[in-house]
Amino acid sequence: MIPIALFRDGSKPYGPDMSDDAWAVAQSRLGRRLPASLRAVLELRNGGYLHRCRFPFQGSSWEPDHFKVSALIGCGYDDGIDGQYGSRYLISEWGFPEVGVVFALMAGGFYEGVMLDYVSCGDSDEPCVSFVGEDRSIRRVAASLGEFLCGLY
């Protein structure tokens, strides 16, 4: 389930309209089968600033009871998850663990991150969502992207 008011009113999408070709290219470049829930979100708006951006969490180095995600990253452009400065770049440049796909921009930069986690999801076909701390520890925060998006306040 995708929250109705996910994106900030008046904010422009980061990327072009989502298409079957762009989705296939993104999955090919990332070497991952991306969750259908991500596609549904990116069909609404291909990345952009979030209306609700806090997720309840104990353990962020920035806030005692939540972490803040400022925007979702779309696909099909240079800064998109599949682009030149996307997830693979962020994993390499910022030292994130190789567990999946960085899909969101954090309010404090990339000292911490949120990833689609294909390692910690167990037997599930869909990746879970994990928070990556400044120390690069991985902590699962939601069983799915849909659960994560519904948990934002």
Short mmCIF file of all heavy atoms in Angstrom, two decimals, residues 76-121:
data_model
loop_
_atom_site.label_atom_id
_atom_site.label_comp_id
_atom_site.label_asym_id
_atom_site.label_seq_id
_atom_site.Cartn_x
_atom_site.Cartn_y
_atom_site.Cartn_z
N GLY A 76 16.37 6.44 -14.10
CA GLY A 76 16.39 6.90 -15.49
C GLY A 76 17.04 8.25 -15.71
O GLY A 76 16.81 8.89 -16.72
N TYR A 77 17.87 8.70 -14.78
CA TYR A 77 18.60 9.96 -14.92
C TYR A 77 19.92 9.83 -14.16
O TYR A 77 20.11 8.87 -13.41
CB TYR A 77 17.77 11.16 -14.43
CG TYR A 77 17.23 11.03 -13.03
CD1 TYR A 77 17.86 11.63 -11.96
CD2 TYR A 77 16.07 10.30 -12.78
CE1 TYR A 77 17.36 11.52 -10.67
CE2 TYR A 77 15.56 10.18 -11.49
CZ TYR A 77 16.21 10.79 -10.45
OH TYR A 77 15.72 10.67 -9.18
N ASP A 78 20.85 10.75 -14.35
CA ASP A 78 22.21 10.62 -13.79
C ASP A 78 22.25 10.39 -12.29
O ASP A 78 23.06 9.62 -11.79
CB ASP A 78 23.07 11.84 -14.13
CG ASP A 78 23.62 11.80 -15.54
OD1 ASP A 78 23.55 10.72 -16.17
OD2 ASP A 78 24.13 12.82 -16.01
N ASP A 79 21.39 11.09 -11.54
CA ASP A 79 21.37 10.93 -10.08
C ASP A 79 20.35 9.90 -9.63
O ASP A 79 20.13 9.72 -8.43
CB ASP A 79 21.05 12.27 -9.40
CG ASP A 79 22.17 13.28 -9.58
OD1 ASP A 79 23.33 12.86 -9.75
OD2 ASP A 79 21.88 14.49 -9.55
N GLY A 80 19.70 9.21 -10.57
CA GLY A 80 18.73 8.19 -10.23
C GLY A 80 19.41 6.96 -9.64
O GLY A 80 20.63 6.81 -9.72
N ILE A 81 18.64 6.07 -9.05
CA ILE A 81 19.24 4.89 -8.40
C ILE A 81 20.11 4.09 -9.36
O ILE A 81 21.06 3.45 -8.94
CB ILE A 81 18.17 3.98 -7.74
CG1 ILE A 81 17.14 3.48 -8.75
CG2 ILE A 81 17.51 4.67 -6.56
CD1 ILE A 81 16.17 2.45 -8.18
N ASP A 82 19.78 4.14 -10.63
CA ASP A 82 20.53 3.40 -11.63
C ASP A 82 21.51 4.25 -12.42
O ASP A 82 22.18 3.78 -13.32
CB ASP A 82 19.55 2.74 -12.62
CG ASP A 82 18.70 3.77 -13.34
OD1 ASP A 82 18.30 4.78 -12.72
OD2 ASP A 82 18.41 3.58 -14.53
N GLY A 83 21.62 5.52 -12.07
CA GLY A 83 22.44 6.45 -12.84
C GLY A 83 23.89 6.50 -12.42
O GLY A 83 24.34 5.81 -11.49
N GLN A 84 24.63 7.34 -13.10
CA GLN A 84 26.07 7.50 -12.88
C GLN A 84 26.37 7.86 -11.42
O GLN A 84 27.37 7.44 -10.86
CB GLN A 84 26.60 8.59 -13.81
CG GLN A 84 28.07 8.88 -13.65
CD GLN A 84 28.55 9.94 -14.63
OE1 GLN A 84 27.81 10.41 -15.50
NE2 GLN A 84 29.80 10.31 -14.51
N TYR A 85 25.50 8.65 -10.80
CA TYR A 85 25.69 9.06 -9.40
C TYR A 85 24.63 8.45 -8.50
O TYR A 85 24.28 9.02 -7.47
CB TYR A 85 25.69 10.59 -9.29
CG TYR A 85 26.77 11.19 -10.14
CD1 TYR A 85 26.48 11.86 -11.31
CD2 TYR A 85 28.11 11.05 -9.77
CE1 TYR A 85 27.48 12.39 -12.10
CE2 TYR A 85 29.12 11.57 -10.56
CZ TYR A 85 28.80 12.24 -11.72
OH TYR A 85 29.79 12.76 -12.51
N GLY A 86 24.15 7.27 -8.87
CA GLY A 86 23.10 6.60 -8.13
C GLY A 86 23.61 5.66 -7.07
O GLY A 86 24.66 5.87 -6.45
N SER A 87 22.88 4.58 -6.87
CA SER A 87 23.13 3.65 -5.78
C SER A 87 24.54 3.06 -5.79
O SER A 87 25.22 3.05 -4.77
CB SER A 87 22.10 2.53 -5.79
OG SER A 87 22.31 1.65 -4.72
N ARG A 88 24.99 2.58 -6.92
CA ARG A 88 26.34 1.98 -6.98
C ARG A 88 27.42 3.01 -6.61
O ARG A 88 28.38 2.70 -5.91
CB ARG A 88 26.62 1.39 -8.35
CG ARG A 88 25.85 0.12 -8.61
CD ARG A 88 26.21 -0.43 -9.98
NE ARG A 88 25.38 -1.53 -10.34
CZ ARG A 88 25.76 -2.80 -10.25
NH1 ARG A 88 26.95 -3.11 -9.83
NH2 ARG A 88 24.93 -3.77 -10.59
N TYR A 89 27.26 4.22 -7.10
CA TYR A 89 28.19 5.29 -6.77
C TYR A 89 28.17 5.57 -5.26
O TYR A 89 29.21 5.71 -4.62
CB TYR A 89 27.85 6.56 -7.55
CG TYR A 89 28.61 7.78 -7.11
CD1 TYR A 89 29.91 8.00 -7.54
CD2 TYR A 89 28.04 8.69 -6.24
CE1 TYR A 89 30.63 9.11 -7.13
CE2 TYR A 89 28.74 9.81 -5.81
CZ TYR A 89 30.04 10.01 -6.26
OH TYR A 89 30.74 11.11 -5.84
N LEU A 90 26.97 5.69 -4.69
CA LEU A 90 26.84 6.00 -3.27
C LEU A 90 27.43 4.88 -2.40
O LEU A 90 28.08 5.15 -1.39
CB LEU A 90 25.37 6.23 -2.91
CG LEU A 90 24.74 7.45 -3.57
CD1 LEU A 90 23.23 7.48 -3.32
CD2 LEU A 90 25.39 8.73 -3.08
N ILE A 91 27.24 3.64 -2.81
CA ILE A 91 27.82 2.51 -2.07
C ILE A 91 29.34 2.60 -2.10
O ILE A 91 30.01 2.45 -1.08
CB ILE A 91 27.31 1.17 -2.63
CG1 ILE A 91 25.83 0.98 -2.26
CG2 ILE A 91 28.16 0.00 -2.14
CD1 ILE A 91 25.15 -0.16 -2.98
N SER A 92 29.88 2.88 -3.26
CA SER A 92 31.33 2.97 -3.42
C SER A 92 31.91 4.21 -2.73
O SER A 92 32.87 4.13 -1.97
CB SER A 92 31.69 2.99 -4.91
OG SER A 92 33.04 3.26 -5.10
N GLU A 93 31.31 5.36 -2.98
CA GLU A 93 31.84 6.63 -2.48
C GLU A 93 31.69 6.78 -0.97
O GLU A 93 32.56 7.31 -0.30
CB GLU A 93 31.13 7.79 -3.20
CG GLU A 93 31.63 9.15 -2.85
CD GLU A 93 33.02 9.47 -3.39
OE1 GLU A 93 33.50 8.77 -4.30
OE2 GLU A 93 33.64 10.42 -2.88
N TRP A 94 30.55 6.34 -0.43
CA TRP A 94 30.24 6.54 0.98
C TRP A 94 30.46 5.29 1.83
O TRP A 94 30.23 5.31 3.03
CB TRP A 94 28.82 7.06 1.14
CG TRP A 94 28.73 8.50 0.72
CD1 TRP A 94 28.45 8.96 -0.54
CD2 TRP A 94 28.99 9.65 1.51
NE1 TRP A 94 28.49 10.33 -0.56
CE2 TRP A 94 28.82 10.78 0.69
CE3 TRP A 94 29.32 9.83 2.85
CZ2 TRP A 94 28.99 12.08 1.17
CZ3 TRP A 94 29.48 11.13 3.32
CH2 TRP A 94 29.31 12.23 2.47
N GLY A 95 30.86 4.19 1.21
CA GLY A 95 31.17 2.98 1.97
C GLY A 95 29.98 2.25 2.54
O GLY A 95 30.09 1.55 3.54
N PHE A 96 28.83 2.38 1.89
CA PHE A 96 27.67 1.62 2.34
C PHE A 96 27.89 0.14 2.08
O PHE A 96 28.58 -0.23 1.13
CB PHE A 96 26.40 2.10 1.63
CG PHE A 96 25.90 3.43 2.09
CD1 PHE A 96 25.98 4.54 1.28
CD2 PHE A 96 25.36 3.58 3.36
CE1 PHE A 96 25.53 5.78 1.71
CE2 PHE A 96 24.90 4.82 3.80
CZ PHE A 96 25.00 5.92 2.98
N PRO A 97 27.29 -0.72 2.89
CA PRO A 97 27.45 -2.17 2.68
C PRO A 97 26.80 -2.61 1.36
O PRO A 97 25.84 -2.00 0.91
CB PRO A 97 26.74 -2.80 3.88
CG PRO A 97 25.88 -1.73 4.45
CD PRO A 97 26.46 -0.41 4.04
N GLU A 98 27.35 -3.65 0.79
CA GLU A 98 26.85 -4.17 -0.50
C GLU A 98 25.67 -5.12 -0.28
O GLU A 98 25.77 -6.30 -0.59
CB GLU A 98 27.98 -4.90 -1.22
CG GLU A 98 29.16 -4.03 -1.55
CD GLU A 98 29.16 -3.55 -2.99
OE1 GLU A 98 28.25 -3.92 -3.76
OE2 GLU A 98 30.06 -2.79 -3.32
N VAL A 99 24.57 -4.58 0.26
CA VAL A 99 23.41 -5.42 0.54
C VAL A 99 22.23 -5.13 -0.38
O VAL A 99 21.24 -5.85 -0.35
CB VAL A 99 22.94 -5.29 2.01
CG1 VAL A 99 24.04 -5.78 2.95
CG2 VAL A 99 22.52 -3.88 2.34
N GLY A 100 22.32 -4.07 -1.18
CA GLY A 100 21.18 -3.75 -2.03
C GLY A 100 21.29 -2.41 -2.71
O GLY A 100 22.33 -2.07 -3.28
N VAL A 101 20.22 -1.62 -2.60
CA VAL A 101 20.07 -0.39 -3.37
C VAL A 101 19.75 0.78 -2.44
O VAL A 101 18.77 0.73 -1.69
CB VAL A 101 18.93 -0.54 -4.41
CG1 VAL A 101 18.69 0.75 -5.17
CG2 VAL A 101 19.23 -1.69 -5.37
N VAL A 102 20.57 1.83 -2.50
CA VAL A 102 20.27 3.08 -1.79
C VAL A 102 19.13 3.74 -2.58
O VAL A 102 19.27 4.01 -3.76
CB VAL A 102 21.50 4.01 -1.74
CG1 VAL A 102 21.16 5.31 -1.04
CG2 VAL A 102 22.69 3.32 -1.08
N PHE A 103 18.00 4.00 -1.90
CA PHE A 103 16.84 4.52 -2.63
C PHE A 103 16.31 5.84 -2.09
O PHE A 103 15.32 6.36 -2.58
CB PHE A 103 15.70 3.49 -2.64
CG PHE A 103 15.02 3.31 -1.31
CD1 PHE A 103 13.87 4.03 -1.01
CD2 PHE A 103 15.51 2.43 -0.37
CE1 PHE A 103 13.24 3.88 0.22
CE2 PHE A 103 14.90 2.26 0.84
CZ PHE A 103 13.75 2.99 1.14
N ALA A 104 16.97 6.40 -1.08
CA ALA A 104 16.47 7.63 -0.49
C ALA A 104 17.61 8.56 -0.13
O ALA A 104 18.72 8.13 0.16
CB ALA A 104 15.65 7.31 0.76
N LEU A 105 17.31 9.85 -0.14
CA LEU A 105 18.26 10.87 0.31
C LEU A 105 17.97 11.16 1.78
O LEU A 105 16.82 11.37 2.17
CB LEU A 105 18.08 12.16 -0.49
CG LEU A 105 18.32 12.07 -1.99
CD1 LEU A 105 18.00 13.41 -2.65
CD2 LEU A 105 19.75 11.65 -2.28
N MET A 106 19.03 11.18 2.57
CA MET A 106 18.89 11.46 3.99
C MET A 106 19.03 12.95 4.24
O MET A 106 19.79 13.64 3.54
CB MET A 106 19.95 10.70 4.78
CG MET A 106 19.89 9.20 4.62
SD MET A 106 18.38 8.45 5.25
CE MET A 106 18.68 8.56 7.00
N ALA A 107 18.35 13.44 5.25
CA ALA A 107 18.38 14.87 5.56
C ALA A 107 19.78 15.36 5.92
O ALA A 107 20.14 16.47 5.60
CB ALA A 107 17.40 15.18 6.68
N GLY A 108 20.58 14.52 6.55
CA GLY A 108 21.90 14.94 6.98
C GLY A 108 23.01 14.56 6.01
O GLY A 108 24.18 14.54 6.39
N GLY A 109 22.69 14.23 4.79
CA GLY A 109 23.69 13.78 3.84
C GLY A 109 23.79 12.27 3.85
O GLY A 109 22.86 11.58 4.25
N PHE A 110 24.91 11.73 3.44
CA PHE A 110 25.04 10.28 3.32
C PHE A 110 25.89 9.67 4.42
O PHE A 110 26.51 8.64 4.24
CB PHE A 110 25.56 9.90 1.93
CG PHE A 110 24.52 10.11 0.88
CD1 PHE A 110 24.61 11.18 0.01
CD2 PHE A 110 23.44 9.27 0.79
CE1 PHE A 110 23.64 11.40 -0.95
CE2 PHE A 110 22.45 9.48 -0.17
CZ PHE A 110 22.56 10.54 -1.03
N TYR A 111 25.91 10.31 5.59
CA TYR A 111 26.58 9.70 6.73
C TYR A 111 25.80 8.47 7.18
O TYR A 111 26.35 7.51 7.69
CB TYR A 111 26.72 10.71 7.87
CG TYR A 111 27.49 11.93 7.44
CD1 TYR A 111 26.84 13.13 7.17
CD2 TYR A 111 28.87 11.87 7.27
CE1 TYR A 111 27.55 14.24 6.76
CE2 TYR A 111 29.59 12.97 6.85
CZ TYR A 111 28.93 14.15 6.60
OH TYR A 111 29.63 15.24 6.18
N GLU A 112 24.49 8.54 7.01
CA GLU A 112 23.59 7.42 7.27
C GLU A 112 22.80 7.18 5.99
O GLU A 112 22.76 8.03 5.12
CB GLU A 112 22.63 7.75 8.42
CG GLU A 112 23.35 8.03 9.73
CD GLU A 112 22.42 8.46 10.84
OE1 GLU A 112 21.41 9.15 10.56
OE2 GLU A 112 22.70 8.10 11.98
N GLY A 113 22.17 6.01 5.87
CA GLY A 113 21.43 5.72 4.66
C GLY A 113 20.27 4.77 4.87
O GLY A 113 20.16 4.13 5.92
N VAL A 114 19.42 4.69 3.86
CA VAL A 114 18.30 3.76 3.84
C VAL A 114 18.41 2.98 2.54
O VAL A 114 18.58 3.56 1.47
CB VAL A 114 16.95 4.49 3.93
CG1 VAL A 114 15.81 3.51 3.94
CG2 VAL A 114 16.88 5.38 5.15
N MET A 115 18.34 1.64 2.67
CA MET A 115 18.54 0.79 1.50
C MET A 115 17.46 -0.27 1.37
O MET A 115 16.92 -0.74 2.38
CB MET A 115 19.90 0.07 1.63
CG MET A 115 21.09 0.99 1.67
SD MET A 115 22.67 0.10 1.79
CE MET A 115 22.81 -0.52 0.10
N LEU A 116 17.17 -0.64 0.12
CA LEU A 116 16.46 -1.89 -0.13
C LEU A 116 17.48 -2.98 0.14
O LEU A 116 18.52 -3.03 -0.52
CB LEU A 116 15.97 -1.94 -1.58
CG LEU A 116 14.91 -0.92 -1.97
CD1 LEU A 116 14.67 -0.98 -3.48
CD2 LEU A 116 13.63 -1.14 -1.20
N ASP A 117 17.22 -3.81 1.11
CA ASP A 117 18.19 -4.79 1.60
C ASP A 117 17.80 -6.18 1.13
O ASP A 117 16.80 -6.73 1.56
CB ASP A 117 18.24 -4.70 3.13
CG ASP A 117 19.25 -5.61 3.78
OD1 ASP A 117 19.76 -6.53 3.11
OD2 ASP A 117 19.51 -5.41 4.98
N TYR A 118 18.61 -6.75 0.25
CA TYR A 118 18.34 -8.07 -0.31
C TYR A 118 18.99 -9.18 0.50
O TYR A 118 18.77 -10.35 0.22
CB TYR A 118 18.82 -8.13 -1.76
CG TYR A 118 18.00 -7.27 -2.69
CD1 TYR A 118 18.22 -5.90 -2.78
CD2 TYR A 118 17.00 -7.82 -3.47
CE1 TYR A 118 17.46 -5.10 -3.62
CE2 TYR A 118 16.23 -7.03 -4.32
CZ TYR A 118 16.47 -5.68 -4.39
OH TYR A 118 15.71 -4.90 -5.22
N VAL A 119 19.80 -8.83 1.49
CA VAL A 119 20.50 -9.83 2.30
C VAL A 119 19.73 -10.15 3.58
O VAL A 119 19.60 -11.31 3.95
CB VAL A 119 21.93 -9.34 2.64
CG1 VAL A 119 22.63 -10.30 3.57
CG2 VAL A 119 22.74 -9.15 1.36
N SER A 120 19.20 -9.14 4.24
CA SER A 120 18.52 -9.32 5.52
C SER A 120 17.06 -9.72 5.41
O SER A 120 16.38 -9.82 6.41
CB SER A 120 18.62 -8.03 6.35
OG SER A 120 19.95 -7.64 6.53
N CYS A 121 16.57 -9.92 4.19
CA CYS A 121 15.14 -10.17 4.00
C CYS A 121 14.73 -11.62 4.20
O CYS A 121 13.55 -11.93 4.15
CB CYS A 121 14.70 -9.68 2.63
SG CYS A 121 15.52 -10.49 1.25
#
